Amino acid sequence: MTASSPIDRSAVVKEARAALDAFLDGLNSHDLEIWTATLHFPQIRVHEGAVTVWQNAEEYIESSKAELKALLASGWHHSAWDEVEFPQVSADQVHAQVRFGRHDAEGELLGVFDSIYVVTRQNGRWGVLARIGYEA
């Protein structure tokens, strides 16, 4: 598809949203391999004034073990999208502006976060390539 070709925006958004939902389902599974399968690499995260880049799935899983353990120790059980918008859409890249909440096992809200997710189609598969976020 060339830059001047029209895209079916609703179809692209539907596919990108499915990738975002798979990402959140993977996180909520508490299984790093399932979660990591929803990502593209190199994976980029900008948060707390720092940029982190993981080159591959193995590196991501290994470095994420401590973060998942700390998240679970904080009382976190699952996260849920509060708002998802797609201000920028192309055939193979979507920027999703999201707000999500972290919840404990009883559903009580622990925190709210605003983020931008860069979701891309690579080799026919949609996945999260980058996340930029902060606590709202």
Side-chain angles (χ1 to χ4, degrees):
M1 182 173 285
T2 65
S4 61
S5 298
I7 64 167
D8 182 345
R9 188 180 199 284
S10 63
V12 171
V13 165
K14 183 177 179 180
E15 292 172 352
R17 176 60 192 253
L20 279 176
D21 290 344
F23 169 88
L24 201 61
D25 290 345
L27 173 63
N28 289 339
S29 75
H30 304 178
D31 184 315
L32 286 171
E33 289 187 18
I34 292 172
W35 185 30
T36 301
T38 69
L39 306 175
H40 285 308
F41 292 91
Q43 174 65 205
I44 304 160
R45 186 172 178 205
V46 179
H47 65 108
E48 300 174 6
V51 177
T52 307
V53 179
W54 298 271
Q55 295 301 319
N56 56 53
E58 295 77 19
E59 182 182 346
Y60 186 83
I61 289 170
E62 187 58 38
S63 69
S64 296
K65 289 176 182 177
E67 183 178 359
L68 180 60
K69 184 177 180 179
L71 195 55
L72 289 165
S74 76
W76 171 83
H77 178 264
H78 67 279
S79 295
W81 302 126
D82 295 327
E83 299 173 22
V84 179
E85 297 178 16
F86 299 94
Q88 296 172 315
V89 176
S90 70
D92 295 313
Q93 181 169 309
V94 171
H95 297 169
Q97 184 174 326
V98 305
R99 173 170 278 188
F100 67 92
R102 288 185 180 158
H103 302 269
D104 67 15
E106 289 76 40
E108 293 296 318
L109 186 63
L110 301 173
V112 176
F113 301 83
D114 289 328
S115 297
I116 301 293
Y117 283 60
V118 178
V119 185
T120 60
R121 177 175 19 210
Q122 297 179 20
N123 301 315
R125 181 181 74 84
W126 284 94
V128 174
L129 177 65
R131 298 170 281 158
I132 305 166
Y134 62 96
E135 191 165 1

